[in-house]
């Protein structure tokens, strides 16, 4: 995490989430892109995490982010004898995404800094060979409460 003055809670939260994901050994790259902007042809960026602003609720002082963890599905062209294992690594991808997001949530639930507190998270949605190029992973939403009376920066 960067040590600087933040303009508002939005920057503080994105930096907290990004800092935790940067520390995870199962996250090679970290982005804030739309699904159509992720270049699936660049194999050297996977596994990746992506952070998107999902919503801002001024009435209830809440900010929600969508966090995605993705990796490339490797398909084995050889005949596979194990009928359950199939011919790819989908279960490995989901397992790693599960660990990354579970570890992230454990850290986010402890946040109580500068008038920012974890509120809730959604159940993860499974990404199954998505984006026409075969990416697997999980995506979930995380909501924070922001104390509107706390000023992070008088910018």
């Amino acid at each position: 995490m960067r040590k600087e003055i933040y303009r508002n809670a939005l920057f503080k939260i994105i930096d907290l989430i990004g800092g935790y994901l940067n520390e995870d050994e199962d996250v090679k790259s970290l982005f804030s892109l739309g699904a159509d902007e992720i270049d699936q042809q660049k194999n050297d960026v996977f596994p990746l995490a992506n952070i998107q602003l999902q919503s801002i609720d001024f009435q209830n002082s809440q900010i929600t982010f969508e966090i995605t963890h993705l990796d490339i599905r490797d398909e084995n062209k050889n005949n596979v004898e194990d009928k359950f294992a199939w011919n790819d690594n989908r279960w490995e991808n989901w397992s790693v995404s599960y660990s990354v997001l579970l570890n992230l949530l454990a850290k986010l639930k402890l946040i109580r800094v500068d008038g920012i507190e974890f509120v809730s998270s959604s159940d993860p949605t499974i990404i199954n060979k998505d984006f026409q190029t075969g990416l697997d992973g999980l995506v979930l939403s995380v909501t924070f409460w922001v104390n509107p009376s706390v000023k992070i920066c008088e910018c």
Side-chain angles (χ1 to χ4, degrees), residues 40-134:
Q40 295 91 5
Q41 304 306 316
K42 291 188 174 183
N43 294 347
D44 61 335
V45 300
F46 292 96
L48 68 78
N50 192 55
I51 307 167
Q52 286 285 287
L53 179 62
Q54 189 172 14
S55 67
I56 298 173
D57 180 347
F58 287 120
Q59 187 72 29
N60 293 309
S61 300
Q62 294 184 347
I63 301 173
T64 302
F65 294 88
E66 180 183 88
I67 304 167
T68 307
H69 184 268
L70 296 169
D71 204 350
I72 297 172
R73 183 178 296 183
D74 294 325
E75 294 187 351
N76 185 352
K77 304 297 182 204
N78 299 328
N79 215 5
V80 177
E81 298 298 320
D82 184 342
K83 292 178 184 177
F84 182 74
W86 302 16
N87 66 339
D88 58 43
N89 66 332
R90 70 183 73 193
W91 287 100
E92 176 67 20
N93 290 347
W94 291 327
S95 176
V96 171
S97 292
Y98 173 85
S99 294
V100 167
L101 295 180
L102 190 63
N103 291 337
L104 175 65
L105 283 177
K107 294 173 183 176
L108 295 178
K109 289 178 181 180
L110 300 175
I111 292 177
R112 289 190 182 36
V113 61
D114 294 331
I116 298 168
E117 292 184 19
F118 175 88
V119 173
S120 65
S121 65
S122 67
D123 289 335
T125 300
I126 297 167
I127 298 172
N128 184 8
K129 200 171 180 180
D130 211 356
F131 305 108
Q132 290 80 39
T133 56

